[in-house]
Amino acid sequence: MKETHTAALWESLIRIVKAEVKPALGCTEPVSLALAAATAKAHLQGKVQHLQAWVSPNLMKNGMGVNIPGAGMSGLPVAAALGALCGDEKAGLEVLKNVTQDDVAEATRWMKQKQVRVGIDPDCHEVLYARVRVWNDAHHAEVIIAGDHTHIISIEQDGKTLFRDDNRTMEAEPVSLPDFFRNVSIRDIFQFSEQAAFSDIAFILDAAVLNNRLSEEGLRHPWGLHIGASLERQRAKNLIGNDLLSNLLIRTVAASDARMGGAPLPAMSNSGSGNQGIAATMPVVVAAEFTGADQEKLARSLILSHLVAIYIHSKLPTLSALCAVSTASMGSAAGIAWLLGGDLDTISMAINSMVGDVSGIICDGAANSCAMKVSTGAASALKAVLMALDSTAVTGREGIVCDDVEDSINNLCSLARNAMQHTDKQIITMMIEKSV
């Protein structure tokens, strides 16, 4: 009976990783809006002449300041226009993969002529929500995405409902992630990562390929804040060392530089976020190279990292005032700890220390500065692992940390779900007032 349960659990874990770890081109909130626009375009009779979009406050927060891949511009109107002009509605989070400079020029013209309007839906109670209506003369089409970046819940054409998902159920998830992970522990994830057949988890190596490619791009060109390239130049001046920590920081943050700066390359995302995918991937990749790990050890450490990140994120709101890069970095701490010879206790100690270290990082919208938070999470992960390997960690006598790592995680996520909701509203108000 136990073997049957384990087999079913492992099969579910593989399915969840494949659903939650996938390529995404650009920041996923504006991309979600672009996907809604592209899908609406596909159901409109004739070419789109103008559009209007309504989004949730949190989607507005994460789309105001982020660069759109291939556009050289930032903001939700750009994403919506490009989605309606050239978006591939069948490409999911890679909806903008076919953007050309002609498309960018046309999108710019649309915005100058006020053919694109994007605002907050005052009646929206969803955390992640995008509604796009496109027009051509007397014809119109409307698409709503809600709950998940690619989850279409409604399609209308000229006032006729073509599709509606009133239950808001995820097509690929008969059981919600919060419900599923309620009966799963870090121990279960650890055992799966160590014991699953390599052939069953080898697909996760694609995360290393995609995100390392982004990292190389971030070091070659001045994307975003070009933090990785700056640190590399300072290392050449001997202002920082050439060691595991500096390599881990430089290569991880360079990937985020490229992604947030608008590089036309996909990131392998985690839980709907490219930065979370980078945070769960690149520190582990660098640690694997440092230890001389083969492809199987890299795959096991990556599957451990990504699953821990998904597990913790399942306890959080889809979007909140807590920067989820910090929790994704707890996944990388698990992967690094295992690569450096640590066991389940080492991983638990490291995560506890990170809860005591980076739990206060707020999300103030997607922007180039997200790369700073990615670097902070990566540094915290390695620091916490090195402490744990030396048998020291933040203890259950301190702050919100508990002796049991599961309780520490639950405390952190409870803050994000409850107390930080007011913080989130205040952040959004500040950002909108600043932009007026």
Side-chain angles (χ1 to χ4, degrees):
M1 182 65 68
K2 184 177 180 182
E3 290 183 359
T4 302
H5 171 73
T6 299
L9 173 63
W10 287 11
E11 183 178 330
S12 294
L13 291 175
I14 291 170
R15 176 177 55 80
I16 286 169
V17 174
K18 288 182 176 180
E20 295 294 315
V21 180
K22 51 192 176 185
L25 180 62
C27 178
T28 47
E29 278 71 58
V31 163
S32 183
L33 178 63
L35 179 61
T39 306
K41 170 200 66 175
H43 290 86
L44 180 69
Q45 295 185 43
K47 292 185 178 181
V48 179
Q49 295 172 334
H50 60 100
L51 70 86
Q52 187 166 2
W54 301 263
V55 301
S56 61
N58 280 88
L59 196 144
M60 177 65 77
K61 180 181 80 169
N62 275 13
M64 291 172 66
V66 67
N67 290 314
I68 309 303
M73 297 181 288
S74 63
L76 291 174
V78 182
L82 289 173
L85 282 165
C86 61
D88 181 352
E89 74 280 3
K90 297 178 182 178
L93 293 177
E94 295 184 274
V95 59
L96 297 180
K97 64 182 181 180
N98 297 321
V99 171
T100 68
Q101 288 308 300
D102 287 342
D103 296 322
V104 173
E106 182 66 4
T108 302
R109 188 182 67 81
W110 276 22
M111 289 183 289
K112 286 181 178 178
Q113 295 185 0
K114 303 189 183 304
Q115 293 172 252
V116 182
R117 289 186 293 167
V118 180
I120 291 176
D121 188 330
D123 300 319
C124 178
H125 300 292
E126 298 274 0
V127 174
L128 197 159
Y129 176 90
R131 175 163 67 101
V132 178
R133 177 172 285 195
V134 295
W135 282 270
N136 176 280
D137 293 330
H139 298 290
H140 68 269
E142 181 176 290
V143 168
I144 300 176
I145 286 177
D148 180 84
H149 294 86
T150 60
H151 185 210
I152 296 171
I153 65 166
S154 176
I155 301 175
E156 293 184 8
Q157 182 186 70
D158 291 331
K160 179 182 178 181
T161 299
L162 302 182
F163 170 79
R164 188 175 299 279
D165 180 3
D166 291 323
N167 295 320
R168 305 293 176 89
T169 54
M170 299 303 295
E171 181 179 342
E173 297 291 344
V175 178
S176 71
L177 289 183
D179 288 340
F180 174 82
F181 280 115
R182 199 166 285 124
N183 299 310
V184 176
S185 66
I186 297 289
R187 179 181 294 276
D188 294 324
I189 292 171
F190 180 76
Q191 290 175 344
F192 164 76
S193 302
E194 279 202 321
Q195 299 171 22
F198 174 46
S199 59
D200 289 339
I201 62 172
F203 67 89
I204 198 65
L205 292 170
D206 290 343
V209 174
L210 280 190
N211 290 337
N212 193 54
R213 192 175 295 153
L214 260 180
S215 177
E216 292 171 348
E217 177 68 15
L219 291 175
R220 279 195 301 264
H221 302 289
W223 294 107
L225 296 180
H226 47 86
I227 305 164
S230 294
L231 291 177
E232 191 172 53
R233 284 191 292 271
Q234 302 304 344
R235 184 167 62 182
K237 299 175 183 177
N238 294 319
L239 293 178
I240 58 175
N242 187 356
D243 52 21
L244 176 57
L245 176 59
S246 65
N247 285 325
L248 187 148
L249 280 177
I250 289 170
R251 290 178 57 190
T252 301
V253 74
S256 185
D257 284 330
R259 177 180 181 263
M260 303 315 293
L265 293 172
M268 187 65 84
S269 66
N270 181 295
S271 304
S273 164
N275 272 332
Q276 290 176 55
I278 289 167
T281 302
M282 288 309 301
V284 177
V285 169
V286 176
E289 292 176 4
F290 180 83
T291 60
D294 59 18
Q295 290 292 284
E296 181 174 344
K297 289 199 74 172
L298 174 59
R300 294 191 184 282
S301 57
L302 283 173
I303 207 80
L304 174 60
S305 175
H306 278 276
L307 263 175
V308 169
I310 295 167
Y311 169 72
I312 299 175
H313 197 270
S314 74
K315 302 172 184 291
L316 294 169
T318 305
L319 301 171
S320 73
L322 176 71
C323 176
V325 161
S326 61
T327 55
S329 297
M330 293 174 191
S332 68
I336 295 169
W338 185 77
L339 284 167
L340 296 181
D343 56 14
L344 182 60
D345 288 339
T346 312
I347 291 168
S348 299
M349 291 172 69
I351 293 175
N352 267 349
S353 289
M354 290 188 69
V355 172
D357 184 17
V358 293
S359 55
I361 299 180
I362 63 166
C363 172
D364 56 348
N368 290 333
S369 59
C370 288
M372 294 290 293
K373 297 168 185 177
V374 169
S375 67
T376 298
S380 177
L382 182 57
K383 176 175 61 179
V385 169
L386 296 179
M387 289 169 58
L389 290 171
D390 199 40
S391 301
T392 186
V394 176
T395 70
R397 298 185 300 276
E398 301 163 72
I400 64 171
V401 177
C402 302
D403 291 325
D404 188 327
V405 68
E406 305 287 349
D407 292 334
S408 298
I409 291 169
N410 288 335
N411 279 353
L412 173 61
C413 295
S414 179
L415 278 176
R417 287 194 315 272
N418 301 306
M420 295 185 80
Q421 293 303 306
H422 178 73
T423 302
D424 199 40
K425 293 176 182 177
Q426 186 68 34
I427 291 169
I428 294 168
T429 298
M430 289 175 175
M431 293 179 66
I432 291 174
E433 288 179 350
K434 185 179 70 170
S435 65
V436 173

